[in-house]
Amino acid sequence: MSPANPTKKSRRDFIKVMGVGAAAIAATNWPFSLGRPGTRPNILFIMTDDHAYQAISCYGSRINQTPNIDRLARGGVRFTQSFCTNSICGPSRAVLLTGKYSHLNGVIDNKGTFDGSQQTFPKLFQGAGYETALFGKWHLKSDPTGFDYWNILPGQGQYYNPDFIDMGVRKRRTGYATDLITDDCLGWLKKRKSQKPFCVLLHHKAPHRNWMPDSKHLSMYEETDVPLPETFFDDYATRSDAARQQKMSIADDLRMASDLKLPPDDTPEDDTPGEKANRQDWNAMVGRLDENQKKAWEEGYARSNEAFRKSELKGKDLARWKYERYIKDYLRCVASVDDNIGRVLDYLDETGLAENTLVVYTSDQGFYLGEHGWFDKRFMYEESLRMPLIIRYPQAIRPGVMNEMAMNLDFAPSFLDFAGILVPPDMQGRSLKGILSGDAPNDWRQSIYYHYYEYPAEHSVKRHYGVRTNRYKLIHFYYDIDAWELYDLEVDLHELNNVYNDPLYAGTVRELKTELERLRKQYGDTDEKKFLPG
Ligand code: SGN
Ligand code: CA
């Protein structure tokens, strides 16, 4: 894609690409470099697990407020088009560590174990004289490499009284995961003696399933009606079978006990395997709580559980109730994330570190908050393809909004570039420094390539790959299906109308297939059979 000598865009050309007028630029909104070369920034890379942009107020959330993430965005650049290459946890993490697609870094799905001997950005930072540390969710199975210090949750981790693996030593601690992970990170920063700059990964478990809020947030939203997304009752009419055959529907696939927090009957008439599993899940969840936490938990849900039991809801009303219970717990977990980000930002301000620290906020992928009737992620549709992305670095980046396409593939090269460390040529992402500095390369990407592999597996989302441009999205589902979908995002923001077979779009299909092939070649992902089961 890149010519040997990428030419620089003039500022005027760049303004055209961004689609904003010169007056608006002059007023505010322009991210450009303030100069001061030679200073090495600290890096603080904050990431959550499954935090959808739809639940961030600076992204226009209709359902909650995130004052601290907004505060970060006010001082930095908020990307409106940031995408992952493979919308699931382990794979997204492996991509951002290596700057390479899943088929090259080896983690195509959550079953994969990360080969920690390969090149990663923390190792390169370490080698360049940075002090590196990792806190919280890791999920890559092998022990972390490239960190002077690490303290992680095993696997998915637990919300309450979680186990931690502190440099290889496992121990259970009392408290709430989002607070404890933040405490660990701040504690490490405060105790640090080194004169080296730091590169810290602060990675939360929240707001991942099963959405267990901290007791202090249990009554939040109690009296609020959270609006249903417009597409909640999507009938998938124009789509391929992939959307119909998934198992991530709020109405059908959430568990009454562990997901929706309804205690099972003590003396059940129903002794089916489903009911037994429901009770097991419940016992495992409640079994971790201490007496005070249990009491808060029971009190927190008692009134609404009682009302639910009396109401005997069915059909669409029951689906609506499930959505309300799901979304409120999700948003309560987000509230704790936001509070804790506030603590971190306060610390940076109080110590004067804010000025020379590049702070990133993102999530490992997007998430469905009831859109199309779903929870979870995986599909290449907007809600799970897009990641929130905010980058603040007061010393070199002017605050604003960025509409150019970014990817999780770009994180590693961007961090390295900002730190003045050479970006290895085998990284497939591109540094965002240029577009953040108003010094954008002429050949900035106009399309992104996506590939999801985890099938057959939990949630039954079929294997697919595709291309997204500023206007269109073409998706090919494969393996036990051979189906194409095309969406015109300019007229169909919610991707409800698959126009793949519409003759008016025949030319567009041809062009996008050519672009898809070009991207598959460019990234070296041309063999569809390579990662099939068996
Ligand atoms: C768990 C969840 C799934 C989720 C995966 C992957 N089930 O298996 O709903 O899709 O994690 O999530 S649960 O019953 O165990 O909560 S990921 O973000 O780690 O990829
Ligand atoms: Ca995730």
Side-chain angles (χ1 to χ4, degrees), residues 451-517:
H451 194 162
Y452 169 82
Y453 304 80
E454 194 176 278
Y455 178 88
E458 192 176 13
H459 299 306
S460 290
V461 174
K462 296 197 188 286
R463 289 171 183 246
H464 57 289
Y465 55 83
V467 56
R468 186 202 192 280
T469 63
N470 279 305
R471 175 160 177 186
Y472 298 107
K473 188 183 294 178
L474 179 75
I475 312 176
H476 181 215
F477 293 95
Y478 70 99
Y479 180 50
D480 60 352
I481 182 174
D482 180 9
W484 291 85
E485 294 182 0
L486 172 68
Y487 296 96
D488 183 346
L489 302 170
E490 201 170 278
V491 294
D492 180 25
L493 205 63
H494 296 308
E495 298 163 295
L496 294 172
N497 196 16
N498 170 20
V499 290
Y500 181 75
N501 290 315
D502 183 335
L504 285 177
Y505 286 91
T508 305
V509 167
R510 267 196 307 278
E511 281 168 28
L512 288 170
K513 282 192 173 172
T514 305
E515 178 63 0
L516 181 59
E517 281 321 299

Side-chain angles (χ1 to χ4, degrees), residues 31-267:
F32 69 52
S33 170
L34 301 180
R36 294 195 222 174
T39 45
R40 299 212 293 173
N42 301 303
I43 309 284
L44 178 57
F45 174 23
I46 308 173
M47 185 162 76
T48 41
D49 197 355
D50 297 357
H51 190 185
Y53 60 85
Q54 310 92 290
I56 301 180
S57 32
C58 60
Y59 274 93
S61 168
R62 301 185 309 146
I63 56 178
N64 71 331
Q65 292 296 318
T66 47
N68 290 298
I69 297 176
D70 293 6
R71 168 180 162 196
L72 185 70
R74 272 197 305 279
V77 171
R78 181 174 65 81
F79 284 76
T80 61
Q81 299 210 88
S82 164
F83 305 102
C84 58
T85 68
N86 182 358
S87 180
I88 186 160
C89 185
S92 176
R93 287 159 206 265
V95 166
L96 59 88
L97 285 168
T98 60
K100 292 178 187 167
Y101 269 90
S102 306
H103 63 280
L104 296 184
N105 69 45
V107 182
I108 58 161
D109 57 29
N110 273 346
K111 285 171 246 146
T113 299
F114 186 68
D115 169 7
S117 69
Q118 66 188 301
Q119 168 184 280
T120 62
F121 81 80
K123 283 188 193 173
L124 295 166
F125 270 82
Q126 207 176 29
Y130 270 73
E131 191 176 22
T132 59
L134 161 70
F135 300 92
K137 178 149 175 190
W138 172 246
H139 204 197
L140 286 169
K141 299 200 174 135
S142 55
D143 280 352
T145 53
F147 298 98
D148 295 311
Y149 178 70
W150 52 273
N151 194 352
I152 58 171
L153 299 169
Q156 293 283 8
Q158 298 283 342
Y159 277 105
Y160 275 87
N161 310 327
D163 286 10
F164 279 87
I165 309 177
D166 180 352
M167 297 289 277
V169 180
R170 185 165 174 149
K171 63 173 183 253
R172 182 167 168 159
R173 287 159 60 193
T174 305
Y176 187 68
T178 312
D179 294 340
L180 293 172
I181 294 165
T182 309
D183 291 347
D184 288 352
C185 177
L186 289 177
W188 182 85
L189 284 170
K190 285 175 190 166
K191 273 203 289 242
R192 208 171 91 84
K193 299 253 168 1
S194 170
Q195 294 304 307
K196 294 176 177 176
F198 61 78
C199 172
V200 169
L201 280 54
L202 169 53
H203 289 185
H204 287 293
K205 169 194 173 53
H208 190 275
R209 193 180 183 187
N210 65 338
W211 316 293
M212 290 177 76
D214 189 0
S215 25
K216 67 173 172 247
H217 293 117
L218 276 169
S219 60
M220 227 178 153
Y221 305 111
E222 185 73 19
E223 306 302 330
T224 316
D225 281 331
V226 186
L228 272 184
E230 280 172 54
T231 61
F232 186 73
F233 291 113
D234 189 354
D235 60 5
Y236 317 126
T238 69
R239 286 180 223 273
S240 71
D241 281 342
R244 279 181 280 276
Q245 291 175 5
Q246 49 60 43
K247 297 222 174 318
M248 43 189 255
S249 131
I250 288 178
D252 302 328
D253 300 311
L254 284 176
R255 300 186 196 104
M256 290 311 266
S258 57
D259 289 330
L260 298 172
K261 323 297 180 339
L262 272 167
D265 280 349
D266 290 337
T267 50

